[in-house]
Each structure stands twice: as structure tokens, then as C-alpha cells.
Amino acid sequence: MDWLRRVAPYLFITPYALAFTCFIILPFFVAFGLAFVKLELTSQQPAAFVGFDNFREALGDPYFRKSLWVTVYFVVLAVPTTVALAMALAVGMQAMTQRWARNTVRAMLFVPGMLNVAVAAILWQWFFNGEFGLFNHLLESLGLPRLPWISSRALAMPSIVFMTLWWTVGGSAILLLAGLQQIPGELWEAASLDGAGAWKRFTQISLPMVRPVLLFVLVINTIGAFQVFGQTYLMTRGGPELATRSVVQYIYETAFNNYRLGYGAAMSWLLFMLIAAFSLVQFFVLRKVDA
Amino acid sequence: MKRLKRHLPDAIMAFTALSFVLPLVVMLLTSFKPEAEVLNPESVVPDDWTTSNYQHVLGWSEEAPFVRWLLNSLFISTTVTLLVMLFSAMAAYAITRLRLPGTKAFLGLVVATMMLPAQLFLVPVYLILSQLRLLDTPWALIIPATAGGFGVFLMCQFMRAVPRTIEEAALIDGCSKLGVFLHVNLPLCAPALATLGVFTFIGSWNDFVGPLIFLDSIRNYTLPVGIALYQSSYVTEYGLTLATSVLATAPLIVVFMVFQRQIIESMATSGMKG
């Protein structure tokens, strides 16, 4: 009985600790090991240690470099627009006069974020369809020429970014609104008395006070954008001419269509390092501004 | 004039909010149109209401067993949600209440791993699942999903804030540690557990990459990958794919309507700790 009393407390943490060890800690080390190994499930050969070969191959691989550019392009288009629009929506919601109306608007802005990526992608693929899509239908009824949207190299990525904006901006806006609502009311009153206009109140009070939340929103959006996959994969399959094939899609195809697991793992680490570097830079730059 | 200016944000925001929901309204209305009208719409509202798209989707077919996918999704998401709630609450109880050695460091490690991007885990988890012979089974999605740190972190935050006095009273009255956990801590943590449950369910229901990689046979698919397959095989039949989309989204919209406040409030506060 005595041993049971001593062991019992550990039983509470065992199920989670086991899952955590097997599916977070172990995969972390497996991912590390895989990156230095040549493991191809299509050949019968066992895994062989190859040092930094996978990384060297990735850095010289034009397809990997292309997917890297595509991903950075997505990040550069999507992150600033998401954060700026989220901020505008948050300020707009804060300026609303009725509490119930604000809460309703907040919920409505968030609803698209509840959709599965497959549903959102299919819906917008139809909107963007060149022949019978809704957007071209609208353009035509206004007497304007049709646009190729996601089937053109130039417009595909901006179109996907537009859909992503609709899909994800609500969550960020909710976070920023909560941040704005934390600012004590006296600050606004004092600024108004001093004759500060709306723009000045925004830049001098709202922005600095909301900076920690803004930083959080920026970092999570950046981390998410670097891992873009579902919407590009489903709307364009990475095309046209690889114009929207992201790094995660290339990793997916390498590891699970061509079964080159070692090479896939190495590219995962490279993407991870890129994400970590970007997050750290954002963190330090934004932290330092007010010092 | 002054009143007009004061209400300008109300008007702009109401218009914006409506335009965010509009695509979903279009999706719902279009799913009741016959295919000819989908491709050549006269108006957003169907001229000729029909449920044929839904009948076709819900009818049994080997290539696209929609009902089967729905049941797979329900089974996986429900199981994941229950396990995550149970495991997280138990672990948080051990960490915050039982004074085990090393639990603080453990929690630190859990929180640190939450920063790691999900894409890093795709290849190694696939390999581990294949060694465990779990690929192409629902457990390939269920078991790894219980390892995430969010639940434990959330429950620890909440349990720390619960006063110990009630538990101590129960212990003095001769209640066992297990009894205290079941009858005192769990009920007290009900709000946090509900939040965790809702978020876990939504996350699992909407997971796309997991089922895409870990499932192989069509009959084992979950809704998101099923819909994606459906879309690629019925490329131009938008009426059908939109009907599947509506059916896949409806359960979530119900969850959202019921827990709207909880979902949004906990989303809003998650930025404060950041």
C-alpha cells in the first residue's frame, strides 16, 4: 500500500508526460537526426549518415530557393497587410458607440477564421475562377474586362493573400481591440483636453500603449505566414509555374510524395531557422523603439 | 451633423462586418442552386431552390463517402477533445498541487516547445507513427494531438488561481487526493476546461495537414481532406463542393454560436501574456 501512495501522484502526470515525450521530445531529436541522414523510403537501403549533405543540397537546389522566395513574398505581402488591417479594424471597433454592436461586429469579423482551410480555399477558388467565378462575373456586369486571378503568375499570390486576409484578420483584430481596451480612459481625455486630434491620439497613445500586443500579433502572424501551405496548395497546387509553391509544400512533396525523409527534415530545419531569425529580429527591434 | 460624425464608425464597421460574412452567405445560398444556375448566376438568391446537391453529397458512394468522413471527423475530434481535457487537467493538478520534484522544469520545457513551428514535426512524427504501425488509422491523428502544450499551460494558469482552502477542507474531511481532484478541482476548473475543449475541438476538426499526411485510404479520411479530394475530382461542379463545404462548416458554426463569448474572450486575453 505504501508504494502505491508514493507512486500515485506520478500517475496524474504520466499520460500527458508519455504523450509529450513520444510526440514532442522524441520527434524533435528524430528530426535532428534525420537531417544528417540519407533516408529514402522508395529504396530499400537503410539510413546512412551523410553529414551536412542534405543542407548543402538544399542551399544549391533551385526548387528549394524558388519556394523560399515564394514564401518570403507571401510573408512580405500578407503580414504587413494583416497587421495594418487588423489595427484599423480594432480602432474602428473601439470607436463604435454601442457595446452590443461592437461585440456583434467582433464576432462577425472572426467567423471566417472558423472555417477549415479546405472550405475557405474551395470557396475562394470559385470566386477567383476565370470562366465562371464570381469576381469575373461582377467585373463583366460592370462592363470591365475579366482578370485571370489565380491562373496568372502575377495575380495568383496577391489573390491568395487577399483570401488569407479575409480568413485570418479577425483573430488579430480581436487581440488588438483587447489591447486598446486596456488603455486607461484618462489618457484619452487628457490628450483631448490638450487639443490632440484623432491621428495624434492614435500615434501618441494607442500605438505605444498597444505595442506589446502588436508585437505578439506581428510575431504569430509571421510564424504562421512562413508556414503557409493549405490555401496555396488547395487553390493553385503551387502553380502557375510554381509561382505559389511554398517551402512547406516543397517539404511535403519531397518527404511524402518522393519519400525523401532526410532531405525533407533538413529543409524543415532551414525553414525553422529562418522563422526563428525573423521572430528574434522583430522582437528586438520592437522592444528597443521606446528605450 | 455632429451626431452623424459620431455614428460614422458604427456605420463603417457594420458595413465591413457584413462584407466579411457575405462570402459565407453566398456559399450557403449557392449550395441550393442547380448546377446551371451556379455557373451562370442571375442573382445571389437561387431562382430555382433545390436540395439536389445535398442529396447527391449525402448519398453513399465509394469514391466520396461523405457520411463516412463526417463520422471519422466526429470520432477523431471528440476523442481528441476528451483526452486533451483529461490529460491536461490531470497534469496541471500534479504540477500545481502535488509538489512533485521537477514539475516546474517540466512545465518550462512544455511551454518552450510550444514555440516550435508545427512543420518541424511533420516528417519525424510520420516516421514514429509508421514504426508504431498507426498510419492510416484514426489514432495517427488522436495520439499526437494529446501531446500539445497549450492545454497543460492553460490548466496550470487556471488551477494556480483557484484558492486551496476548499481542497484543504475536503482533505481534512477525509477525502482522498483522487477524490479532491475529481470532486473539487475538476468542477472548479469547468470554465477553463470548456474553453480548452472548444479550442481543441475546432483545431482538430479543422486540421488539414495531419490527415493529409497520416491517412492514406479514402474511407479513413476526415472531412477537410475528403472535401479537398472531392474538389479535385469534381473540379467544375461547384454546387456539389459548396454543399460539402456547408455541411462541414455547420457543426462549427453551431459550436461558435453557443460558445461565442468564451471563444472570443479567451482569444482576446491570450495576447496580454505575450
Side-chain angles (χ1 to χ4, degrees):
Chain A
M1 262 338 260
D2 197 45
W3 65 269
L4 187 69
R5 292 184 81 87
R6 220 162 331 131
V7 168
Y10 289 95
L11 293 180
F12 277 94
I13 205 165
T14 306
Y16 179 72
L18 211 59
F20 180 73
T21 312
C22 292
F23 288 98
I24 301 284
I25 299 298
L26 181 64
F28 184 82
F29 289 107
V30 171
F32 191 77
L34 274 175
F36 297 98
V37 148
K38 184 180 168 95
L39 177 60
E40 300 180 358
L41 294 187
T42 41
S43 69
Q44 294 301 312
Q45 281 157 17
F49 180 77
V50 291
F52 282 94
D53 276 7
N54 287 326
F55 292 98
R56 223 170 279 139
E57 183 183 345
L59 295 177
D61 179 351
Y63 291 115
F64 178 67
R65 286 212 290 235
K66 168 77 184 162
S67 69
L68 213 53
W69 282 118
V70 166
T71 306
V72 170
Y73 183 43
F74 177 82
V75 171
V76 167
L77 285 184
V79 175
T81 45
T82 304
V83 175
L85 182 62
M87 193 71 205
L89 292 172
V91 170
M93 282 193 277
Q94 202 200 15
M96 291 179 74
T97 50
Q98 305 293 323
R99 196 192 149 95
W100 66 267
R102 183 188 303 130
N103 286 346
T104 311
V105 165
R106 190 172 66 162
M108 285 166 80
L109 293 179
F110 183 64
V111 164
M114 297 280 301
L115 294 193
N116 178 262
V117 64
V119 171
I122 286 168
L123 186 61
W124 283 78
Q125 198 193 37
W126 170 51
F127 290 164
F128 284 131
N129 186 295
E131 271 176 78
F132 29 72
L134 217 56
F135 285 157
N136 275 351
H137 215 82
L138 279 175
L139 285 179
E140 227 165 38
S141 61
L142 294 172
L144 295 167
R146 291 158 167 254
L147 286 173
W149 304 114
I150 49 173
S151 47
S152 102
R153 285 184 52 171
L155 284 181
M157 192 56 102
S159 304
I160 290 169
V161 168
F162 188 75
M163 168 267 173
T164 308
L165 210 55
W166 169 79
W167 187 39
T168 60
V169 77
S172 301
I174 290 175
L175 288 168
L176 287 169
L177 174 65
L180 287 175
Q181 286 174 335
Q182 294 283 310
I183 301 172
E186 303 92 70
L187 277 179
W188 308 92
E189 285 161 30
S192 290
L193 286 177
D194 288 346
W199 178 250
K200 198 142 198 197
R201 287 199 300 263
F202 174 70
T203 53
Q204 303 292 317
I205 299 175
S206 304
L207 270 187
M209 292 296 284
V210 89
R211 185 181 295 139
V213 185
L214 197 63
L215 175 67
F216 178 72
V217 168
L218 186 67
V219 171
I220 55 169
N221 271 298
T222 308
I223 294 175
F226 267 113
Q227 300 184 78
V228 61
F229 170 63
Q231 62 270 52
T232 50
Y233 178 68
L234 288 167
M235 284 169 78
T236 61
R237 298 280 146 175
E241 293 169 55
L242 304 184
T244 58
R245 183 166 74 171
S246 68
V247 176
V248 173
Q249 186 181 338
Y250 189 49
I251 293 173
Y252 164 74
E253 288 170 359
T254 304
F256 304 110
N257 291 348
N258 302 329
Y259 294 106
R260 299 189 59 204
L261 296 187
Y263 189 36
M267 289 191 289
S268 291
W269 280 105
L270 288 174
L271 180 61
F272 169 62
M273 285 185 254
L274 194 66
I275 294 174
F278 258 78
S279 307
L280 282 176
V281 167
Q282 286 176 338
F283 188 78
F284 282 110
V285 167
L286 270 159
R287 268 288 148 98
K288 285 233 168 96
V289 172
D290 58 340
Chain B
M1 195 55 209
K2 191 150 188 194
R3 236 186 97 185
L4 198 75
K5 202 178 161 192
R6 212 168 75 88
H7 283 287
L8 191 64
D10 292 329
I12 296 175
M13 291 315 291
F15 181 77
T16 312
L18 284 175
S19 67
F20 267 69
V21 183
L22 189 64
L24 298 175
V25 178
V26 172
M27 169 169 93
L28 182 66
L29 290 173
T30 307
S31 69
F32 288 103
K33 286 180 178 178
E35 197 58 35
E37 220 189 304
V38 176
L39 300 184
N40 210 345
E42 297 290 317
S43 79
V44 176
V45 183
D47 255 347
D48 185 10
W49 289 82
T50 172
T51 54
S52 68
N53 291 325
Y54 289 94
Q55 282 166 14
H56 189 233
V57 168
L58 291 173
W60 185 260
S61 86
E62 278 299 320
E63 311 87 66
F66 184 86
V67 180
R68 173 82 203 218
W69 296 337
L70 185 74
L71 293 175
N72 289 343
S73 271
L74 274 176
F75 173 69
I76 290 171
S77 297
T78 313
T79 315
V80 166
T81 305
L82 292 176
L83 287 181
V84 166
M85 285 164 71
L86 182 68
F87 287 5
S88 304
M90 286 166 65
Y93 180 66
I95 291 168
T96 58
R97 291 297 196 263
L98 296 180
R99 296 201 196 104
L100 302 178
T103 47
K104 236 186 186 156
F106 180 69
L107 183 63
L109 186 65
V110 168
V111 173
T113 57
M114 282 167 67
M115 319 272 176
L116 295 171
Q119 59 92 14
L120 196 60
F121 292 88
L122 296 181
V123 180
V125 169
Y126 175 87
L127 206 59
I128 292 169
L129 288 170
S130 103
Q131 291 298 310
L132 295 173
R133 310 229 166 270
L134 288 175
L135 285 177
D136 204 23
T137 71
W139 303 104
L141 298 166
I142 294 170
I143 301 174
T146 60
F150 173 69
V152 174
F153 175 68
L154 184 80
M155 294 313 294
C156 279
Q157 296 287 89
F158 198 85
M159 265 191 208
R160 271 205 198 98
V162 172
R164 284 165 185 263
T165 42
I166 311 173
E167 290 160 48
E168 278 154 13
L171 282 174
I172 291 166
D173 286 347
C175 198
S176 69
K177 282 262 166 75
L178 183 64
V180 172
F181 173 69
L182 288 177
H183 300 297
V184 181
N185 285 80
L186 272 190
L188 280 175
C189 286
L193 272 175
T195 305
L196 175 62
V198 170
F199 273 92
T200 310
F201 188 87
I202 297 172
S204 171
W205 185 267
N206 279 344
D207 183 17
F208 176 71
V209 181
L212 181 71
I213 294 173
F214 304 143
L215 301 179
D216 204 29
S217 24
I218 289 174
R219 55 195 295 279
N220 288 338
Y221 277 6
T222 59
L223 271 179
V225 276
I227 292 174
L229 174 84
Y230 208 90
Q231 177 240 14
S232 56
S233 35
Y234 294 81
V235 190
T236 52
E237 296 186 59
Y238 280 102
L240 290 182
T241 43
L242 290 177
T244 60
S245 301
V246 170
L247 288 171
T249 309
L252 278 193
I253 299 292
V254 172
V255 170
F256 183 66
M257 296 277 197
V258 177
F259 294 100
Q260 193 243 103
R261 227 208 156 97
Q262 223 154 5
I263 293 173
I264 290 183
E265 293 299 327
S266 45
M267 282 256 330
T269 46
S270 68
M272 298 303 162
K273 290 160 212 137

